[in-house]
Amino acid sequence: MRRLGHHRLHGKTGGVGTKGMVAKLSIGVIVLLICTLSLLFSANIGSNSEPTRPSKINVEELWESAESGGWRPSSAPRSDWPPPTQETNGYLRVRCNGGLNQQRSAICNAVLAARIMNATLVLPELDANSFWHDDSGFQGIYDVEHFIETLKYDVKIVGKIPDAHKNGKTKKIKAFQIRPPRDAPIEWYLTTALKAMKEHSAIYLTPFSHRLAEEIDNPEYQRLRCRVNYHALRFKPHIMKLSESIVDKLRSQGHFMSIHLRFEMDMLAFAGCFDIFNPEEQKILRKYRKENFAEKRLIYNERRAIGKCPLTPEEVGLILRAMRFDNSTRIYLAAGELFGGERFMKPFRTLFPRLDNHSSVDPSEELSANSQGLIGSAVDYMVCLLSDIFMPTYDGPSNFANNLLGHRLYYGFRTTIRPDRKALAPIFIAREKGKIAGFEEAVRRVMLKTNFGGPHRRVSPESFYTNSWPECFCQMNPKKSSDKCPPDNVIEILDSRLESVRDPDSTSQTNSTVTGLER
């Protein structure tokens, strides 16, 4: 290799050449020093935002919460946040379609939409769709009084649209039905929806799933979503009691892990992952896909190679074994009916025999009657939220997994194991072809690159409901003022503002407390 600068030194006197070399070396040292300092500074900046990843997987540490990096959950307002006015622009009705967790996101969006339009929210309707066959409704699943009380600083909420009284006559208000566009921007609610509300006094948005953009450049609006999702939406007392009873029984023998095993007919049909099943099962999956999803040519080998197929139960077991979990690990399975039956579960059960679900831990009459309905899903949600470790096997379009990932992050950075299916696919495919040597080490290398539940930047396609950091978190000793935690008396400030709306004479008192929230 030719040495740098050799041709330039050739033919010059020794003194001049030496001086030139010294000068160049001095510049090189300075550049090297600047680069080194830059790297150290960058590393320091990074360490203040997100904890560094571990160099190896320590199972014992995974049973504890992830490193918080000095962050804690906080969704209270941090700037001027006036309470809802006595007079609103009208009533907002919504029908939340989909399963329990898709409905949950829709409820968060409905509250935010009502806030944006200064509307009175009618308790959201939960669609008794063909999949769930469950008409429990909002009142049958959630604690209504808690929901209304928690959001009193944000929106006005009523059980139903009241009758209008004018000139001694009573008239029913009929909500004007609108189909909102998917991921509608705030502007749509401030124009099209608000105009219809003012004209008809009430509007009915249906269907209402993913009908408000997730990424909104207003942290206070995002924090309102968190207040709804993680504080206001509390299941009814009997569901909470049932869930806590199951958790107590599971934890009576030590730590336990929950796994959302998404190896179910609807997800397999959606993903187009048919080839591992027998001809009769493939026929069932193809029929379900044709009836429920848009027509699209899907090739199994291609889908699997890019991580679009749900992990099989055996693959889940192999990942956990490679991470060095042993067969004494207690696992709670949150899942519907697994497609393909026991032949797919047997390899998993061989690796990890201590498997449970809500029916095996608590075979109560209520759960037996609603094991696949909203109540069963609500219990699974709470058990997974409270478990020491949570592992989703398919967090693509799975609202259950994505909402839980976000809730566990907010609940104190509780450990999650998120397999990178795309990175793992070639390793599993090679194993099926007989290349077993180095399999577990290859799996461990992939899993080391995953996030185990600590704070991390939200990167598309990750949803806000999966990761509300940093909007819904704060630091007691922040480097940026926007990350500072709200004052300890924030509730007193909000109460004072609410009273000022009910009693205008107290306005001066409220104005004096406004600065307590401002940064």
Side-chain angles (χ1 to χ4, degrees):
M1 181 183 290
R2 190 175 62 185
R3 284 184 293 178
L4 184 63
H6 179 73
H7 65 292
R8 293 184 180 179
L9 293 173
H10 184 70
K12 294 188 180 285
T13 63
V16 176
T18 302
K19 288 180 182 178
M21 182 177 290
V22 170
K24 290 178 183 294
L25 286 172
S26 299
I27 293 170
V29 169
I30 292 169
V31 170
L32 182 61
L33 182 60
I34 291 171
C35 290
T36 303
L37 289 172
S38 297
L39 285 170
L40 288 171
F41 181 73
S42 299
N44 187 50
I45 292 294
S47 66
N48 288 331
S49 58
E50 301 177 40
T52 55
R53 288 197 175 102
S55 58
K56 64 178 182 178
I57 297 173
N58 185 323
V59 168
E60 290 305 313
E61 289 180 0
L62 290 180
W63 290 116
E64 306 300 328
S65 295
E67 289 293 327
S68 69
W71 293 85
R72 67 177 178 85
S74 174
S75 55
R78 295 175 212 170
S79 60
D80 190 22
W81 187 256
T85 59
Q86 287 289 80
E87 297 296 325
T88 64
N89 287 320
Y91 295 92
L92 173 64
R93 279 181 63 198
V94 299
R95 181 175 66 85
C96 306
N97 54 305
L100 178 71
N101 292 281
Q102 185 169 309
Q103 292 171 355
R104 191 181 185 100
S105 301
I107 294 166
C108 298
N109 287 342
V111 172
L112 179 52
R115 173 75 189 196
I116 290 167
M117 294 189 289
N118 187 29
T120 298
L121 178 67
V122 182
L123 279 179
E125 301 166 22
L126 305 187
D127 181 26
N129 59 49
S130 57
F131 180 79
W132 287 104
H133 300 291
D134 192 322
D135 58 359
S136 301
F138 191 95
Q139 294 90 333
I141 296 294
Y142 295 108
D143 186 331
V144 173
E145 289 184 11
H146 177 79
F147 182 74
I148 295 172
E149 175 66 18
T150 304
L151 297 173
K152 66 182 179 182
Y153 308 112
D154 306 303
V155 292
K156 295 183 76 171
I157 303 172
V158 296
K160 63 178 182 178
I161 300 176
D163 295 335
H165 301 280
K166 190 175 182 181
N167 300 326
K169 294 182 180 180
T170 300
K171 181 183 178 182
K172 288 192 177 296
I173 299 175
K174 186 177 181 182
F176 180 72
Q177 185 169 322
I178 308 175
R179 184 184 181 94
R182 188 177 176 89
D183 298 321
I186 288 176
E187 289 72 23
W188 183 86
Y189 287 91
L190 291 173
T191 52
T192 304
L194 186 56
K195 181 181 177 182
M197 179 177 285
K198 288 181 175 180
E199 183 179 347
H200 300 278
S201 299
I203 58 173
Y204 182 35
L205 303 184
T206 178
F208 198 76
S209 172
H210 307 291
R211 303 293 156 168
L212 178 58
E214 280 192 20
E215 292 300 332
I216 295 174
D217 190 22
N218 183 327
E220 291 297 6
Y221 282 170
Q222 298 293 56
R223 283 191 273 273
L224 174 54
R225 277 173 160 157
C226 290
R227 290 199 290 280
V228 181
N229 208 5
Y230 307 134
H231 296 279
L233 281 175
R234 187 170 71 186
F235 295 120
K236 290 181 75 69
H238 71 283
I239 296 175
M240 297 294 284
K241 186 177 179 181
L242 187 58
S243 305
E244 288 163 7
S245 170
I246 290 174
V247 170
D248 288 343
K249 290 176 182 177
L250 289 167
R251 193 162 283 140
S252 65
Q253 299 177 43
H255 295 298
F256 79 96
M257 173 192 303
S258 61
I259 296 179
H260 187 221
L261 199 54
R262 202 65 171 93
F263 201 70
E264 299 157 323
M265 179 170 65
D266 63 322
M267 193 52 66
L268 290 162
F270 171 82
C273 301
F274 305 146
D275 290 24
I276 57 174
F277 298 100
N278 63 40
E280 185 59 32
E281 290 165 341
Q282 289 190 34
K283 184 178 178 182
I284 294 170
L285 289 173
R286 293 181 193 284
K287 181 176 182 292
Y288 187 92
R289 176 169 180 83
K290 186 176 181 180
E291 292 173 351
N292 293 278
F293 304 112
E295 187 175 346
K296 189 177 181 181
R297 184 171 177 266
L298 301 175
I299 300 173
Y300 170 73
N301 290 339
E302 293 178 0
R303 300 286 288 172
R304 191 185 178 203
I306 58 174
K308 294 297 183 181
C309 287
L311 294 171
T312 68
E314 182 181 21
E315 288 170 343
V316 174
L318 290 170
I319 291 170
L320 294 176
R321 179 59 63 84
M323 292 177 71
R324 306 241 165 84
F325 286 95
D326 61 38
N327 63 3
S328 68
T329 305
R330 192 161 197 185
I331 297 174
Y332 178 88
L333 294 178
E337 185 178 352
L338 297 186
F339 194 75
E342 183 59 25
R343 81 175 188 277
F344 284 98
M345 276 301 298
K346 189 175 180 180
F348 186 24
R349 203 182 302 279
T350 300
L351 291 168
F352 294 93
R354 300 184 70 194
L355 301 179
D356 278 301
N357 58 28
H358 57 227
S359 297
S360 66
V361 180
D362 191 331
S364 63
E365 185 177 337
E366 181 174 21
L367 269 179
S368 298
N370 201 297
S371 64
Q372 298 300 317
L374 291 177
I375 292 176
S377 182
V379 168
D380 275 348
Y381 185 94
M382 285 307 304
V383 175
C384 289
L385 174 63
L386 299 172
S387 64
D388 300 298
I389 297 173
F390 172 63
M391 179 180 182
T393 61
Y394 193 73
D395 57 346
S398 173
N399 293 291
F400 183 95
N402 286 324
N403 276 18
L404 265 165
L405 289 167
H407 204 156
R408 287 178 64 87
L409 194 74
Y410 190 85
Y411 198 62
F413 305 106
R414 298 175 79 83
T415 300
T416 57
I417 297 175
R418 301 176 67 178
D420 183 341
R421 296 187 307 279
K422 185 175 181 180
L424 288 167
I427 301 171
F428 283 122
I429 291 169
R431 181 181 181 274
E432 288 162 12
K433 293 178 180 178
K435 299 176 183 177
I436 299 175
F439 168 77
E440 289 197 348
E441 181 56 34
V443 171
R444 277 194 293 274
R445 281 199 300 270
V446 170
M447 296 308 298
L448 263 174
K449 296 177 183 177
T450 64
N451 182 284
F452 289 117
H456 59 282
R457 292 285 173 189
R458 186 169 63 252
V459 179
S460 181
E462 192 173 36
S463 161
F464 175 79
Y465 293 103
T466 302
N467 180 10
S468 60
W469 188 84
E471 294 96 332
C472 296
F473 296 81
C474 68
Q475 286 186 310
M476 297 304 294
N477 299 300
K479 293 198 178 237
K480 295 193 300 183
S481 60
S482 59
D483 294 333
K484 187 176 181 181
C485 289
D488 293 336
N489 66 335
V490 64
I491 296 299
E492 293 175 20
I493 296 169
L494 294 171
D495 273 330
S496 178
R497 289 178 174 175
L498 190 60
E499 285 302 314
S500 74
V501 173
R502 296 168 179 168
D503 180 11
D505 293 335
S506 65
T507 302
S508 58
Q509 176 192 353
T510 303
N511 287 340
S512 68
T513 65
V514 168
T515 54
L517 278 172
E518 291 175 345
R519 296 286 176 266

